[in-house]
Amino acid sequence: MSESSDQHYVIVGAGQAGAEVASELRKRGFEGQISLIGDESVAPYRRPPLSKAYFSGDAEADSLLVLKPPQLEKNGIDLLSGVTVDAIDRATHTVTLSDGRSLQYDKLALTTGGRARPLPCPGNDLDGVFLLRSLADVDAIRAHCNAETRMAIVGGGFIGLEVAASARKAGMAVTVVETLDRVLARVTAPVVSAFFERIHREAGVDLRTGVRVEAIEGTTKVEGVRLGDGSVIPADVVVVGIGLIPNVELAEAAGLEVDNGIVVDACAQTSDPDIVAAGDCANHPNRFAGERIRLESVQNAMEQARVAAGTMLGAESPYDAVPWFWSDQYDCKLQMAGLSGGYDDIVLRGDPAAEKRFSAFYLRDGQLIAADSVGRPQDFMFAKKLVTLNIAPDRAKLADPEVPLKAFLPA
Ligand SMILES: Cc1cc2nc3c(=O)[nH]c(=O)nc-3n(C[C@H](O)[C@H](O)[C@H](O)COP(=O)(O)OP(=O)(O)OC[C@H]3O[C@@H](n4cnc5c(N)ncnc54)[C@H](O)[C@@H]3O)c2cc1C
């Protein structure tokens, strides 16, 4: 028996980050007790399919699970689901659960993720208005929908656009309303936004940009969405996708440092040496952003969770992974490498205005900082490597689809 066998490590939040912390602790040989506590009633699952294959009925709930009962058992992970951690007492190393129990911990991981931001307008509580974050949310939305449904989606971000594509696939009439003057405005360049606006319009989506929602209308259930320009979109179902609020209240009440997320260092350590945090809830220093940032992606949840598990075991190694992300809409797969914020130049390979296969490369001071690729997985694969290497590529070669990105790697 090793020294670690009498230790109890507790993980709060049973999403992808929490599941990965638990698995990684075992991979690294931790022999003590692991409790993984989650307030949802299911085992940890992947959220990306919620707006994609699961929404359109092409994937079963079971296929979303990341830790199934046999894996939990094999790895000796005690999953406590349907239970909320209500308080952390750092002095006594104790967490209090919503079912009245309290657990003593040696090390604690906070992987509490976030919750969907509600739409702040009259009518947001009418029957037929939904947020989308969990399996339960999608089950509820789907129970309200059929091919005749008129769906209004508030928010032209990834979740809104993916739901729009899935709903069109199911035959529904879909309107998307975005306050900013283009979709995906916070994450991509105007040329990439224009591409996604084109494919949605071609698929029959009524896309309204530069207009805000004033109210959701109806007596007991949704009948329409009233916009700032006075128009009303008739709707039976409204799906709101306007961002995420990080779940930080538990950490804050325990006196941990919080600032747009639970503040951690490069090793996922919070302001308490016995508490780490990772995933959507964690505000961390990120060299690709050049500042502190909170990322909302599977890549970050998984890779930061592994760093956090190492830190719990005293094997600290800084988180330094290139951020990446993907989105599936209709027959288009967008893959993003790096973070494009602060770019001063953009180089296109392919023509987003005419094709469904292109890459947009983002440069700052001549250096490649990010790439968005649609239907060019090889570009994405090599862009991930190039972004970490501070390469300053030749613009003409970068634009030439005949020059493989591999050619830019140092010999
Ligand atoms: C519809 C949708 C589509 C997405 N698509 C993509 C995609 O294509 N690509 C991509 O990279 N990312 C995508 N994401 C984002 C990605 O799923 C998240 O970044 C990832 O799930 C974050 O994992 P997490 O474990 O940090 O947080 P979460 O998944 O939020 O898990 C945290 C869990 O902790 C629970 N919890 C919180 N507080 C407590 C408490 N006090 N006690 C007990 N339990 C608690 C929460 O209820 C939740 O179950 C998508 C997200 C959504 C919602």
Side-chain angles (χ1 to χ4, degrees), residues 12-18 37-40 47-48 50-52 83-85 111-114 132-133 159 162 247 250 278-280 296-298 301 325-326:
V12 185
Q16 278 200 263
I37 308 168
D39 55 9
E40 294 183 66
R47 293 186 200 277
L50 295 181
S51 46
K52 310 176 181 78
V83 189
T84 306
V85 173
T111 50
T112 49
L132 200 172
R133 180 71 187 168
I159 291 181
E162 289 177 356
N247 291 325
L250 180 69
D280 281 15
E296 297 167 12
S297 70
V298 168
F325 192 83
W326 79 96

Side-chain angles (χ1 to χ4, degrees), residues 46 48-56 157-167 169 184 195-196 199-200 325-336 373-375:
R46 295 179 291 124
L50 295 181
S51 46
K52 310 176 181 78
Y54 186 70
F55 194 99
S56 52
F158 284 120
I159 291 181
L161 294 184
E162 289 177 356
V163 169
S166 303
K169 204 171 156 191
L184 302 176
F195 169 80
F196 282 98
I199 62 165
H200 279 280
F325 192 83
W326 79 96
S327 176
D328 299 324
Q329 297 169 40
Y330 311 104
D331 54 350
C332 296
K333 180 178 270 302
L334 167 69
Q335 292 171 296
M336 310 172 92
S373 296
V374 172

